[in-house]
């Protein structure tokens, strides 16, 4: 016999968990159906950067609201998200210097602690860096990184304490609808679950779920390799988190004297998200070493610790797809495009407000609605940087 729930959330990644938590805080008792285990998808592979520099104001607002959670996790959620403050430096190519200045101003208007610093300031923060190819950078003293699986698990645990349910190892194979509205889902084990609301939070698999109700998300799977280097002792016990468009890479420190390196280029599109994620693609490590050594030459003395890959769903404008779409009761929380971890707390909150109260309050996320996709109207920043990932 079919079981019932207030809301079914498909996917136990950081977004499914965050939405479950915020719904449960509002007295709604969601059921999360996860085909493997919590954080088995993009979340479990995420680099976990928590920085606030975005060129699109709504994303900057989402990350600023989310940051309140990361830095007060125990108080606001309970448990530990593993947030480590490292400071964050954002470097762009010289032709984007004016955009950087405008974006820092926009972020300061929101209240984000960020400032413009000179190349000399960067050299003082990180003397081992080559700083002769840029004049200014953005610096966020409060930013850093968190532990994505711990974050998702902590949100899910908090949701369950408030009455949410989690079923792991349950794969949704069908979204049930009548002519106009959602009725529930059918699962691979032959189960049937009924609910008036079904949310697609299936990360890189979200297009498959959406297709079950006839929606084409125009999403593509993005594969992203990450490497951990054992850094030379001369760099010290830690270093800032850095996104460096000029060298097309980002780095952050990791416990145990490691440095994580990801590249903005050479991320294959269109692979199956169920492919091997335990190994980086051939050639990745050599390329990543090349990029980081151009910025931090002493890294040549480092050694490889490990490398892996991960998959996320890239939308047509590399921005989230949020809100109701298709049959009544079907909601999207997907398309997080390689940057969705850090905005999960406030995205879940704004989604829950939209679902329960009729409109999002914390951040008005309605511009992220699905309609822009078939209409071919990508969201655009006022002072955009070059497209990365593609
Ligand atoms: C390598 C890598 C590095 C990244 N680095 C950063 C970063 O530094 N900072 C940042 O902000 N973002 C980063 N991201 C992006 C961020 O991690 C993702 O946007 C975010 O984790 C997406 O979370 P999600 O909950 O939407 O998806 P997921 O974590 O993929 O969760 C979706 C879940 O749905 C489940 N599922 C799928 N199909 C079904 C089904 N039919 N039935 C039931 N369950 C199903 C999956 O098993 C999965 O657990 C990175 C991503 C990757 C891959």
């Amino acid at each position: 016999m079919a079981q019932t729930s207030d809301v079914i959330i498909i996917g136990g990644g950081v977004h499914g968990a965050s939405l479950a938590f915020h719904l449960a805080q509002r007295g709604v008792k969601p059921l999360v159906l996860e085909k493997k285990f919590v954080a088995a998808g993009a979340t479990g592979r995420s680099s976990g950067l928590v920085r606030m520099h975005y060129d699109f104001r709504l994303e900057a607002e989402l990350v600023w609201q989310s940051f309140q959670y990361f830095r007060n996790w125990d108080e606001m959620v309970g448990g530990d998200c593993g947030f480590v403050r490292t400071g964050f430096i954002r470097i762009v190519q010289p032709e984007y210097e004016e955009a950087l200045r405008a974006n820092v101003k926009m972020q300061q208007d929101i209240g984000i602690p960020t400032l413009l610093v000179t190349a000399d300031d960067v050299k003082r923060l990180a003397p081992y860096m080559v700083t002769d190819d840029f004049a200014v950078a953005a610096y966020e003293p409060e930013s850093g990184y968190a532990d994505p699986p711990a974050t998702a698990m902590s949100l899910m645990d908090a949701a369950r304490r408030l009455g949410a349910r989690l079923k792991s190892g349950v794969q949704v194979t069908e979204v049930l609808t009548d002519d106009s509205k959602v009725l529930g889902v059918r699962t691979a084990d032959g189960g049937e679950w009924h609910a008036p609301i079904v949310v697609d939070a299936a990360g890189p698999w979200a297009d498959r779920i959406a297709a079950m109700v006839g929606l084409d998300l125009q999403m593509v799977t993005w594969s992203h390799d990450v490497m951990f280097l054992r850094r030379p002792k001369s760099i010290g016990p830690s270093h800032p988190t850095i996104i460096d468009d000029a060298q097309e890479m980002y780095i952050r420190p990791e416990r145990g004297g490691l440095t994580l390196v990801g590249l903005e280029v050479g991320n294959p599109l269109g692979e199956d998200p169920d492919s091997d994620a335990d190994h980086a693609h051939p050639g990745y490590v050599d390329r990543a070493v090349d990029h980081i050594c151009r910025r931090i030459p002493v890294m040549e003395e480092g050694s490889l610790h490990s490398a892996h890959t991960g998959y996320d769903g890239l939308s047509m404008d590399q921005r989230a797809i949020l809100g109701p779409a298709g049959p009544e009761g079907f909601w999207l929380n997907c398309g997080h495009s390689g940057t969705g971890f850090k905005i999960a707390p406030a995205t879940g909150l704004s989604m829950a407000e939209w679902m329960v109260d009729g409109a999002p309050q914390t951040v008005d996320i309605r511009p992220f609605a699905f309609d822009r996709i078939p209409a071919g109207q990508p969201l655009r920043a006022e002072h955009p940087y070059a497209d990365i990932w593609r």
Side-chain angles (χ1 to χ4, degrees):
M1 201 179 85
Q3 301 190 52
T4 59
S5 175
D6 293 345
V7 174
I8 293 171
I9 298 172
I10 306 170
V14 72
H15 281 280
S18 176
L19 179 58
F21 168 65
H22 290 290
L23 284 173
Q25 273 198 322
R26 279 164 179 68
V28 178
K29 300 206 182 330
L31 166 70
V32 179
L33 297 177
E34 164 52 53
K35 70 174 179 169
K36 284 189 165 174
F37 48 86
V38 170
T43 302
R45 295 286 158 172
S46 181
S47 304
L49 269 66
V50 179
R51 45 86 187 182
M52 292 176 269
H53 194 98
Y54 273 93
D55 60 7
F56 186 52
R57 187 181 174 102
L58 276 183
E59 286 171 325
E61 287 179 11
L62 276 173
V63 75
W64 175 231
Q65 292 302 327
S66 295
F67 190 68
Q68 311 315 317
Y69 285 82
F70 284 112
R71 67 175 172 186
N72 299 305
W73 197 264
D74 193 31
E75 197 179 299
M76 294 180 79
V77 181
D80 191 6
C81 67
F83 179 70
V84 179
R85 177 182 164 186
T86 63
F88 167 74
I89 298 169
R90 179 73 154 97
I91 298 166
V92 298
Q93 300 96 322
E95 62 268 34
Y96 291 103
E97 189 183 311
E98 282 316 306
L100 182 87
R101 290 177 185 277
N103 289 326
V104 166
K105 168 84 174 61
M106 174 269 285
Q107 293 149 21
Q108 287 172 338
D109 289 346
I110 291 172
I112 293 172
T114 181
L115 63 154
L116 278 174
V117 293
T118 64
D120 285 348
D121 295 327
V122 171
K123 194 86 183 169
R124 272 187 283 275
L125 285 165
Y128 37 80
M129 279 175 69
V130 172
T131 55
D132 56 8
D133 58 335
F134 61 93
V136 294
Y139 180 56
E140 297 172 10
E142 303 283 323
S143 297
Y145 67 94
D147 178 336
T151 302
M153 192 47 95
S154 173
L155 286 163
M156 197 67 86
D157 285 347
R160 292 169 82 184
R161 285 196 296 275
L162 294 166
R165 283 181 296 163
L166 165 69
K167 296 278 174 199
S168 298
V170 177
Q171 180 174 0
V172 171
T173 50
E174 201 180 329
V175 177
L176 305 169
T177 56
D178 67 8
D179 282 347
S180 60
K181 64 178 188 304
V182 152
L183 301 174
V185 300
R186 193 164 285 140
T187 55
D189 56 5
E192 206 170 292
W193 303 81
H194 289 174
I197 295 179
V198 172
V199 184
D200 179 358
W205 297 268
D207 51 349
R208 299 181 189 180
I209 302 292
M212 294 175 189
V213 297
L215 293 177
D216 178 5
L217 299 185
Q218 299 182 33
M219 223 177 75
V220 62
T221 303
W222 167 78
S223 310
H224 183 60
D225 296 315
V226 166
M227 158 179 91
F228 288 96
L229 283 182
R230 224 181 287 283
R231 62 175 172 268
K233 291 217 167 14
S234 59
I235 289 184
S238 188
H239 59 74
T241 294
I242 302 167
I243 295 184
D244 181 352
D245 285 2
Q247 296 301 342
E248 302 169 308
M249 64 158 194
Y250 65 87
I251 66 169
R252 71 158 172 84
E254 172 61 64
R255 272 175 285 258
L258 303 181
T259 291
L260 179 157
V261 188
L263 294 185
E264 294 174 349
V265 285
N267 296 282
L269 297 179
E271 293 182 351
D272 182 346
D274 288 309
S275 310
D276 169 37
D278 291 338
H279 304 92
H281 290 77
Y284 172 72
V285 169
D286 287 344
R287 286 193 297 121
V289 167
D290 189 40
H291 283 253
I292 191 171
C293 287
R294 275 187 250 149
R295 180 63 72 202
I296 306 179
V298 72
M299 281 288 187
E300 255 177 32
E301 295 166 21
S303 59
L304 179 66
H305 174 272
S306 57
H308 65 248
T309 197
Y311 306 95
D312 203 0
L314 213 65
S315 73
M316 57 101 139
D317 54 9
Q318 299 187 26
R319 296 198 162 94
I321 311 173
L322 305 173
E328 188 186 330
F330 189 75
W331 289 68
L332 297 166
N333 184 351
C334 55
H336 290 291
S337 302
T339 67
F341 169 67
K342 68 188 82 60
I343 60 165
T347 302
L349 173 58
S350 304
M351 283 281 290
E353 291 166 346
W354 196 352
M355 293 168 90
V356 177
D357 309 329
Q361 303 291 327
T362 302
V363 178
D364 188 352
I365 52 174
R366 286 173 290 195
F368 291 103
F370 169 73
D371 297 354
R372 75 181 196 277
I373 309 280
Q377 291 170 343
L379 292 171
R380 291 190 202 283
E382 277 191 355
H383 301 281
Y385 302 125
D387 256 9
I388 56 169
W389 307 148
R390 281 189 193 274

